[in-house]
Amino acid sequence: MLVLPVELTHAQATACCRMLAQALRTEPAREAVADASALRQFDSSALAVLLECRREALALGKSFAVHQLQPRLRALATLYGVAELLPEAVVPA
């Protein structure tokens, strides 16, 4: 599982993208799941990071989903018309 930080704004976006891309390349699982449960402070850069992560996962032949995307970020994704690209992950309890 790819874990997003507590804060993901423009200032952290580039480093976060690099970290997640590296994790995707080393993780053998066929499904990439981004865990957004810790994410509390964010701007639209968080969507850009998630979309880049999705592109990287798909390029590696993996599916992509997001676990516990914050409602405000889901609303922002809907506003931008990209919500369908960030499906909710089904994670066993």
Side-chain angles (χ1 to χ4, degrees):
M1 190 168 294
L2 308 165
V3 180
L4 296 179
V6 172
E7 182 178 344
L8 182 48
T9 61
H10 182 72
Q12 298 86 17
T14 301
C16 190
C17 269
R18 268 190 248 123
M19 177 196 67
L20 293 173
Q22 182 177 356
L24 277 168
R25 288 190 290 271
T26 59
E27 175 59 46
R30 301 304 305 159
E31 180 182 34
V33 176
D35 181 358
S37 61
L39 193 58
R40 295 292 175 261
Q41 186 175 351
F42 55 85
D43 61 18
S44 61
S45 298
L47 285 180
V49 168
L50 287 169
L51 292 171
E52 180 58 30
C53 193
R54 177 185 182 274
R55 279 190 288 275
E56 183 76 25
L58 294 178
L60 293 168
K62 300 179 182 199
S63 62
F64 181 76
V66 182
H67 176 63
Q68 292 190 354
L69 189 62
Q70 300 299 324
R72 289 182 338 187
L73 194 52
R74 173 72 60 198
L76 193 58
T78 300
L79 179 68
Y80 289 161
V82 297
E84 69 278 356
L85 300 176
L86 304 172
E88 181 68 31
V90 178
V91 177

